[in-house]
Amino acid sequence: MAKINILKPEIFNKIAAGEVVEKPASIVKEVVENSIDAGATKIEIQIYEGGISKIVVSDNGSGILPEDLEPAFLPHATSKIATENDLYHIGTLGFRGEALASIASVSQVEVISKTANTDGHSIKISGGEIIAKGEKGSPVGTYICVENLFFNTPARQKFLKKPKKEESDITTLVAKLILANPNIAFKYSADSKLIYNSSGQGLKDAIFSIYGAQIMENLIPVDFHNDKYSLTGFIGKTSFFKANRTYQTIMINGRWIADSIVNVALSQSYEAYMMKHCFPFCVINLTVPNDEVDVNVHPSKLEVRFQDSRAIFGFVYKAITETIYEDLTRKTNEEIQSEPEQPAFTLTRAPEVSKNQTVETNDLNVDFVLDSPIFQSNARGDIAAHSSENSILNEIVIEKLAGSIPTTQNNSIYQFQSNDEPVNYVPKPTQQQLIKEDIVDKDAFLSSRIIGKAFNTFVILELDDNLYFIDQHAAHERLLFDKFVEQIKNKEVSSQSLLLPYNIEVNHSEEQYINENIEMLRSLGFEIEPFGNLSFKVSAIPSLLPDLNVENFFKNFLSNLNNYTQLKDLDLIRDNLAETACKHAVKGGDDLDKEELVKLVRGVGDGTTTLQCPHGRPFVVKFSHRDVDKWFRRIV
Ligand code: ADP
Ligand code: MG
């Protein structure tokens, strides 16, 4: 063995640079994060030739003190942490103090910076060595220019990709930075061509600046809290999905994270609505107390470790599934209210109610009237305000008029207050929940007319001004699937004995996992018990799943062991149920007689949970009379 050398800082920095400065995008990330940490509200990024020849970032942040300009380039020089304890409460994006040192060791850097109370100064460093420094006029903030990346490490230069590819990596990164920092105005250009220009006026604007107008109508706002965590931002509607994950931006405490259990929770939340290999849209931020999350596990900080991953998974899953559900049901309610021939509520004069009055009713919906607008609140505390003409007012009006928003105490008691006006109330009959999605409603279906079928696959209905096409297979699949789910929810499952009991051989952690979930398996209809050491015997399976491949099922089940998923009974067999529903449903091409068609349409009309088959395909398509007129140019 050779003698041990203590490495000189120049060499050490080049090694460290390998960790931090992988490619031009990593420089942009580090430098822009420094601007964010410095409290900038405006950041401009310019890159040339994919950032290989030049990256310029200027900000209007706090600036660097003249005496700190040189130390900022020393390894482990940071103003962001001082003690080990600070490591567990990191509130800034940077903290390692190695970015500037690493970047400067493999490129040519100029920094010009000015704080509010000092004059501007500049420093120039080439390959880690200071070549110039001094006073220089500048506005408050910091300008950094990084040129000729890897000019002194030719070996690393070879690993750079083509400029266009490096540029596209930077563009993807900048999009994430813009979404993660919606209150900062960003301007980003590549080879002098403007690519993004965000206003710094909130997340909606940021999303607009990245994805354009088309995405805007497909967003559902998320705002979900418990006593420890919160999830905010936007997710995509269940009818809007993408072919890959690049439309998913997940932040944890404002920091963009490439991969975490939050991604898993997101995809599982959409499982019932999406086809396989489709990905939901999201821009969400999860807030977790700083001491419950460790961001110090990855050099470029794209990964995190949670103290309690299961709790995080459960929280995100609940937040997203409930938000989706509320969106689907809210849509239904809005529809009811916009149907003129079917008024959503009746306006009657009601006795006066004094301030702070609690109204008790057994109905789930209570309308109360305050001057002319009508406020409607449902069991979950959603609030809508309508003028007597049925046009929807926004929540700001509610606050202004009612003083405070009514809160739901439980399913039957509503409390509301008014600052100065007396409040009238009108209890209202419970509104029937209609079918979700904005395409059709239950009553409509029941009174529709079957006018034919096409290709022995699509049932054609006419109702009022609309034509509906129903995919008979997909619709039947959904009906069967919903029926199965209902049976499981009502605990109406039964078992079917296997001719030969099936033995599962397991290891210790698998044994523990099965034991933890054994009651749930039994509630689904599995008869399963320990059978000696590290082995279980399955002697019956759910009768709902007569064709179940027991071996595959348990293989799949055990593959969840390392997920953070806290499985619920339904999650466990959702795929199997979908498969069984698919097998037992009528097929496309089956020649259904009139009675069977009526039964199918009636089934859909009686209420399916969504208008998609369990694999996520839509099964109803609607054309209005107007649409058809347009086909023939009767109208334009
Ligand atoms: P870290 O961000 O981990 O602290 P860096 O090497 O990225 O380490 O930066 C070193 C220090 O330089 C920072 O702690 C900060 O004090 C200062 N600094 C760097 N960039 C800026 C900037 N744009 N505005 C103000 N201060 C900056
Ligand atoms: Mg930094």
Side-chain angles (χ1 to χ4, degrees):
M1 272 280 176
K3 188 178 171 319
I4 290 180
N5 291 311
I6 304 295
L7 296 177
K8 290 192 192 137
E10 310 88 88
I11 302 181
F12 171 81
N13 283 345
K14 280 189 189 171
I15 297 173
E19 271 196 16
V20 181
V21 189
E22 244 178 281
K23 53 183 185 175
S26 21
I27 296 183
V28 174
K29 177 170 190 293
E30 292 296 336
V31 172
V32 173
E33 287 189 345
N34 279 345
S35 301
I36 297 168
D37 283 346
T41 57
K42 272 189 190 160
I43 301 176
E44 181 165 359
I45 306 159
Q46 294 162 276
I47 63 159
Y48 298 88
E49 295 178 77
I52 299 166
S53 67
K54 194 166 165 183
I55 296 170
V56 181
V57 173
S58 44
D59 68 50
N60 66 348
S62 61
I64 306 173
L65 290 169
E67 65 266 30
D68 281 346
L69 208 46
E70 199 178 318
F73 287 92
L74 293 174
H76 309 302
T78 177
S79 55
K80 298 168 193 172
I81 57 174
T83 65
E84 182 185 336
N85 199 35
D86 293 344
L87 259 188
Y88 306 106
H89 302 90
I90 290 169
T92 51
L93 298 165
F95 56 86
R96 289 161 176 261
E98 59 194 9
L100 287 189
S102 305
I103 295 167
S105 73
V106 291
S107 63
Q108 293 165 323
V109 176
E110 179 179 22
V111 173
I112 307 171
S113 192
K114 175 179 158 30
T115 71
N117 305 318
T118 55
D119 290 331
H121 280 74
S122 77
I123 187 167
K124 272 190 180 170
I125 297 184
S126 177
E129 279 182 36
I130 299 173
I131 50 173
K133 58 180 199 175
E135 253 183 56
K136 188 151 188 172
S138 122
V140 173
T142 303
Y143 160 100
I144 176 165
C145 171
V146 179
E147 284 180 282
N148 303 323
L149 181 60
F150 298 144
F151 78 102
N152 56 347
T153 50
R156 308 240 354 244
Q157 217 164 24
K158 286 192 207 128
F159 286 97
L160 285 170
K161 289 175 239 148
K162 297 231 159 60
K164 272 289 156 202
K165 174 71 182 114
E166 298 290 357
E167 178 187 317
S168 111
D169 286 356
I170 296 176
T171 303
T172 306
L173 167 86
V174 172
K176 302 286 179 197
L177 288 167
I178 292 176
L179 293 170
N181 299 281
N183 297 320
I184 298 177
F186 283 90
K187 205 168 183 179
Y188 164 62
S189 62
D191 297 322
S192 304
K193 188 170 157 249
L194 181 67
I195 297 184
Y196 296 136
N197 195 357
S198 76
S199 67
Q201 291 178 355
L203 189 54
K204 247 190 163 163
D205 278 13
I207 293 175
F208 176 78
S209 72
I210 306 291
Y211 297 113
Q214 185 239 343
I215 215 137
M216 303 313 282
E217 61 204 35
N218 289 302
L219 301 179
I220 315 174
V222 187
D223 193 357
F224 205 87
H225 305 256
N226 71 10
D227 49 348
K228 264 186 161 170
Y229 313 128
S230 79
L231 191 77
T232 55
F234 292 89
I235 56 176
K237 301 212 156 154
T238 52
S239 49
F240 178 77
F241 46 80
K242 291 283 162 190
N244 59 58
R245 250 183 240 292
T246 56
Y247 286 75
Q248 299 182 353
T249 304
I250 296 175
M251 271 86 63
I252 294 167
N253 293 351
R255 192 191 290 270
W256 167 51
I257 299 296
D259 198 17
S260 73
I261 52 159
V262 180
N263 298 72
V264 184
L266 175 82
S267 0
Q268 293 206 2
S269 310
Y270 276 86
E271 216 158 58
Y273 310 100
M274 294 270 167
M275 284 187 257
K276 286 236 150 69
H277 311 300
C278 284
F279 298 88
F281 172 92
C282 79
V283 179
I284 44 178
N285 182 34
L286 172 71
T287 314
V288 178
N290 273 333
D291 57 356
E292 283 195 30
V293 53
D294 184 1
V295 290
N296 199 9
V297 289
H298 191 276
S300 57
K301 301 174 299 240
L302 288 176
E303 285 173 21
V304 288
R305 196 180 288 142
F306 294 107
Q307 212 174 58
D308 187 350
S309 300
R310 275 174 196 266
I312 300 279
F313 179 93
F315 172 76
V316 175
Y317 184 81
K318 186 164 190 275
I320 296 181
T321 46
E322 289 194 7
T323 303
I324 293 175
Y325 178 80
E326 287 201 5
D327 176 64
L328 292 173
T329 38
R330 181 171 28 240
K331 240 200 268 172
T332 313
N333 285 338
E334 278 168 12
E335 233 168 63
I336 302 165
Q337 281 137 20
S338 61
E339 291 256 323
E341 65 277 16
Q342 226 188 331
F345 43 77
T346 39
L347 183 59
T348 41
R349 215 52 220 157
E352 263 188 15
V353 188
S354 59
K355 290 179 189 177
N356 303 337
Q357 173 128 16
T358 300
V359 179
E360 282 194 52
T361 165
N362 289 327
D363 297 328
L364 290 187
N365 292 284
V366 178
D367 285 348
F368 48 95
V369 185
L370 183 70
D371 280 341
S372 60
I374 292 171
F375 295 88
Q376 189 182 24
S377 163
N378 68 14
R380 280 191 314 280
D382 298 336
I383 299 172
H386 311 270
S387 74
S388 25
E389 286 83 46
N390 271 3
S391 64
I392 295 176
L393 306 174
N394 60 31
E395 286 190 9
I396 299 158
V397 179
I398 300 179
E399 264 180 320
K400 220 164 60 191
L401 291 175
S404 79
I405 292 179
T407 53
T408 306
Q409 297 298 301
N410 58 34
N411 274 354
S412 60
I413 300 177
Y414 291 78
Q415 222 174 32
F416 50 89
Q417 302 175 334
S418 162
N419 285 345
D420 32 47
E421 302 285 330
V423 175
N424 298 329
Y425 76 98
V426 188
K428 202 194 148 300
T430 308
Q431 211 131 55
Q432 281 172 330
Q433 276 293 316
L434 297 190
I435 301 176
K436 292 146 200 164
E437 313 286 318
D438 58 0
I439 194 159
V440 67
D441 74 57
K442 171 178 164 169
D443 297 337
F445 252 63
L446 291 176
S447 53
S448 64
R449 200 157 63 86
I450 299 176
I451 56 172
K453 56 181 181 174
F455 318 124
N456 278 339
T457 299
F458 306 105
V459 191
I460 309 170
L461 299 180
E462 184 189 327
L463 174 73
D464 298 337
D465 244 5
N466 296 304
L467 278 183
Y468 298 92
F469 281 67
I470 301 180
D471 178 322
Q472 65 186 35
H473 170 69
H476 196 205
E477 242 184 313
R478 168 54 67 185
L479 283 173
L480 290 175
F481 184 82
D482 282 355
K483 194 175 90 186
F484 297 160
V485 170
E486 201 54 34
Q487 288 178 10
I488 290 167
K489 283 197 178 140
N490 298 338
K491 309 240 175 293
E492 287 166 8
V493 291
S494 57
S495 303
Q496 172 181 320
S497 294
L498 291 171
L499 281 178
L500 281 178
Y502 180 81
N503 264 359
I504 319 167
E505 307 286 330
V506 291
N507 62 28
H508 282 284
S509 49
E510 290 169 337
E511 179 181 46
Q512 192 190 347
Y513 187 67
I514 293 187
N515 278 327
E516 275 168 21
N517 290 291
I518 204 156
E519 282 316 316
M520 184 170 72
L521 288 165
R522 287 177 180 152
S523 75
L524 289 171
F526 287 96
E527 269 172 30
I528 174 168
E529 50 207 323
F531 190 60
N533 199 18
L534 297 180
S535 154
F536 289 87
K537 184 173 82 178
V538 182
S539 43
I541 58 170
S543 342
L544 279 178
L545 305 172
D547 306 316
L548 185 76
N549 179 328
V550 185
E551 183 179 351
N552 283 348
F553 174 82
F554 278 95
K555 249 192 217 154
N556 251 332
F557 172 66
L558 289 171
S559 72
N560 292 310
L561 174 62
N562 293 320
N563 289 350
Y564 298 91
T565 327
Q566 201 140 32
L567 285 173
K568 286 203 287 277
D569 44 10
L570 255 174
D571 301 334
L572 203 58
I573 55 170
R574 189 179 291 280
D575 283 354
N576 305 93
L577 284 181
E579 205 180 297
T580 306
C582 181
K583 254 192 202 151
H584 292 257
V586 297
K587 303 276 172 297
D590 284 356
D591 187 3
L592 303 188
D593 62 28
K594 180 113 196 272
E595 208 175 308
E596 289 168 311
L597 291 179
V598 169
K599 208 170 142 199
L600 186 70
V601 171
R602 208 153 263 282
V604 174
D606 271 340
T608 48
T609 49
T610 79
L611 297 179
Q612 288 167 320
C613 81
H615 307 104
R617 280 200 298 119
F619 67 73
V620 182
V621 172
K622 174 170 99 171
F623 297 103
S624 66
H625 192 161
R626 226 182 126 73
D627 293 331
V628 179
D629 278 345
K630 277 190 189 161
W631 296 347
F632 296 96
R633 309 260 164 93
R634 293 171 69 97
I635 53 174
V636 280

